Every structure is written in structure tokens, then in C-alpha cells.
Amino acid sequence: MKKFFLLLLILSGWLPAHDIEIVEPGAKRADLGGVQIDSGFYGAPPGNIKLRITAAGPAVIYAGIDGPLASAENFQLPFDGLQWQVYYWTGQENGQPFPGEVLQGGRTNWVPYRRGETPIIKINQAVSNYEIQLGTTVRRIPAVQPNGLYTAKIRFAIDDF
Amino acid sequence: MKKILVGGFLILSLALAASQDTVDLAVSVIGNVFTLELQDANAFPAAGSFELGSLEAGAEEFPVNGVIVAGCKSNTGRQWFLQAEQAEPLTDQITGARLPDGAALVRGLLSTRSPGGQDLPGNLISAPQKVTARPVTVYSSTFRGDAGFNNYDGTYVPLNFGVKVPDAMPAGHYSGRVLLTLTE
């Protein structure tokens, strides 16, 4: 029994001290609805994503996408066309968005989701219930894009800074 | 002891799962396009007619003036074909003399206007073909309708029209009409 509790204590020292949770959209699914070919900038409000963060110390929030928006027939939307924009984060003193430029109105530039991990927010210190809100947009539906339901998985992660 | 072990592993697994989360995103693309637009060699809308210039009897030429670009746009995701046919034969309106069927010619040009100079993904017939009253295919898309090519902005097929003048053809000004069709 003592050895077991000692093992649990050692393992808890290795447990990540950060937590990230997607609060919106509900059911963690954003359905942007029907979008016409040869048009663009679809996203709000169904594409709005709210994250709630707990960090034990300085940390970085990352966003990434596993692959392009693709249909069952493997037609793909332009890979750089799915983009994010941070428009709210809790307290300037606690964190700053990447790439650092904040536009007038408190929003960042639109940045394409990419494979792997792209840093979106740097958190300076331990925080609890830190909130980040992002907009997501499909920048452009090309003129000859085949009809269909296109899906993708957006991933958010937190790690030590 | 077993309950403690199970509880411990459960807590451990819940804690390990908290450092990332995912959102499933979906968008439905709607709307249909199946159009053909003609442009001149400078990407301006085609005037609708062009002069091949002066040719001598017995000559076969593809004048630069005979270049036209067919902008093919289809989002069906299925194979399509660009065809040419003689709608009105080349005729001298004054004398009534007519060039024989098949005197008008067409060939695909291997240069492209897509970004980066990419080769057309389908099958372009670059050998001269006779333009007759029966449609001939000058370009076949891929089985998926050239999906993905040119950033899904359509396939622009450069064509060069020419003429083979018979040896004993009387001099004159001959005009006619060629029909280009986009079809599945």
C-alpha cells in the first residue's frame, strides 16, 4: 500500500499542470452551414471558438489542423483558406496573442490554420479560468469547388513556455 | 486494494487527457457552375470573331491571330470535354465559293495560363484536327473534372485555329463559324 501511494505521488509530479477546455461551440462541433461557390469569409458566428485555460505557470496555447477541409470524395478546399483570429483574451497583463500584432479593435490578423502546432497565445503567469475567443473563417470558396460536406478537425493544445 | 488501483488509474487518465482539445468543423459547399468563356491570347474576353489573315492556295497555317483560350468551369466533379465543330462552313459571301469540310483546323497549344505554368491535368490534343460538322474533342478533363487544378478556378485551354487551303481554291474572303462546346 505504501509503495502504491509513493508511486502515485511520483506520477502526480509528472502530470501536466495545465488544462485547456473548449467551451464553445457546444458539443465541440462548428457547422458553418451552406456556402456558395465563388464567395468567401464564412464563419461568424458558428465558427466562434471559446477556450478556457488553467495554467500552472507561463505557457503557450497552440492551434493546428490535421488536414485540409475535405469531402468524402476527397475534394479539398484550399488549405490556407481556413483561418483564425483572436478577438478576446482575458487581461492584457496575463497574455499576448501571436504573432504579436493587434489590430485596432483588439483583434489579431487572420492567420491560416496549419498542420502541426501554431502558437496563438502566450500566457505570462499562472492563471485560472483564462478565456480566449477566436473567430474562424473559410476565406474563400473557389469558383469550381465541387458540392459536398467538407470537414476538418481543429486541435488546441497547451504546453509550457 | 483493487478499488484503490482502479480509482488511481482513472484519476491519472483524466488528468493526462486535459492538455489538448479538438473541435470538429464542417461546411457544406453549394451552387453549380458549368460554363465556357472565351478569351483572347491576352486574357481579354474574346471579341467573338478573328481574322486568320491572308493565306495562299495550297498553304496550311496556324496564324497567331487564331489563338483563343477556352475557360472551362465545371464543379460537377465528373469528366467533361471541350469540343469544336463547324457551325457554318468557310464561304465567300460574294461568289458563294466554299472551302471544303475540314479545311478549318484546330490544335491545342501546350503553353498554359494557369499559375506557375502548370501543365493541363487532362488530355489536350495538340495535333491538328479537322473541324467538321461533327464535333471533335480538343480537350478531355481528368475523371474528376480537373478538380484541384488551378486552385479550383477552372481550366483554361489554349487553342489555335488554322486553315488548310486547297491547291486550286479561288481567291476571296471566306468567313464561317466554329462552335465550341463544353459537355459531359
Side-chain angles (χ1 to χ4, degrees):
Chain A
M1 189 64 137
K2 284 183 184 175
K3 285 181 186 174
F4 172 72
F5 280 116
L6 179 63
L7 178 65
L8 269 184
L9 274 172
I10 293 169
L11 286 172
S12 68
W14 285 85
L15 288 177
H18 311 306
D19 181 51
I20 186 168
E21 182 191 2
I22 294 173
V23 179
E24 286 179 17
K28 301 179 185 179
R29 178 178 170 83
D31 191 337
L32 304 190
V35 295
Q36 280 285 345
I37 55 173
D38 203 12
S39 66
F41 278 105
Y42 286 94
N48 290 349
I49 299 172
K50 186 186 291 185
L51 309 175
R52 189 170 293 144
I53 314 289
T54 296
V60 178
I61 311 300
Y62 296 91
I65 190 168
D66 292 345
L69 280 159
S71 68
E73 296 83 9
N74 201 31
F75 296 116
Q76 298 178 0
L77 281 165
F79 192 59
D80 280 0
L82 187 63
Q83 301 187 350
W84 56 267
Q85 175 188 61
V86 177
Y87 60 83
Y88 175 80
W89 56 100
T90 307
Q92 290 283 1
E93 69 280 5
N94 290 326
Q96 291 80 42
F98 285 89
E101 181 184 356
V102 178
L103 306 176
Q104 195 172 17
R107 296 166 182 257
T108 68
N109 277 319
W110 286 104
V111 179
Y113 284 102
R114 299 203 185 280
R115 291 185 202 270
E117 294 183 333
T118 301
I120 60 171
I121 288 276
K122 171 181 170 293
I123 296 177
N124 298 326
Q125 58 203 29
V127 292
S128 176
N129 291 323
Y130 187 89
E131 204 167 271
I132 302 167
Q133 294 185 21
L134 301 98
T136 296
T137 190
V138 180
R139 187 84 182 230
R140 182 170 177 269
I141 307 297
V144 291
Q145 192 74 40
N147 288 354
L149 181 69
Y150 291 74
T151 60
K153 194 177 286 289
I154 302 174
R155 192 175 303 277
F156 295 94
I158 180 170
D159 204 349
D160 292 337
F161 175 70
Chain B
M1 182 62 175
K2 282 185 186 176
K3 288 182 186 176
I4 294 171
L5 276 171
V6 168
F9 281 122
L10 185 62
I11 293 167
L12 182 62
S13 63
L14 285 174
L16 286 173
S19 60
Q20 67 172 353
D21 210 347
T22 59
V23 172
D24 291 321
L25 189 86
V27 59
S28 296
V29 174
I30 58 177
N32 299 306
V33 62
F34 195 77
T35 61
L36 175 64
E37 61 181 59
L38 300 181
Q39 298 177 350
D40 63 20
N42 295 315
F44 291 109
S49 63
F50 46 81
E51 284 276 350
L52 294 179
S54 298
L55 293 88
E56 297 200 354
E60 177 181 320
E61 290 186 32
F62 286 87
V64 172
N65 293 346
V67 173
I68 199 164
V69 179
C72 306
K73 294 191 176 185
S74 167
N75 77 328
T76 66
R78 297 188 297 269
Q79 187 175 33
W80 48 264
F81 305 89
L82 177 65
Q83 297 179 329
E85 65 184 278
Q86 184 94 63
E88 292 175 12
L90 290 161
T91 306
D92 186 322
Q93 302 299 327
I94 296 174
T95 65
R98 181 181 293 184
L99 281 161
D101 201 28
L105 305 171
V106 65
R107 64 181 183 181
L109 290 179
L110 293 176
S111 63
T112 76
R113 295 224 318 267
S114 58
Q118 297 168 299
D119 290 336
L120 294 174
N123 185 32
L124 177 70
I125 309 298
S126 55
Q129 295 187 88
K130 294 179 180 178
V131 182
T132 66
R134 185 177 175 186
V136 292
T137 297
V138 292
Y139 179 79
S140 307
S141 75
T142 63
F143 287 116
R144 286 159 59 90
D146 284 359
F149 177 69
N150 198 22
N151 294 320
Y152 288 99
D153 260 343
T155 303
Y156 288 81
V157 183
L159 301 173
N160 196 180
F161 286 91
V163 177
K164 180 175 171 60
V165 183
D167 291 338
M169 201 70 209
H173 186 263
Y174 295 81
S175 60
R177 188 180 295 272
V178 172
L179 182 67
L180 286 169
T181 306
L182 184 68
T183 185
E184 282 192 344

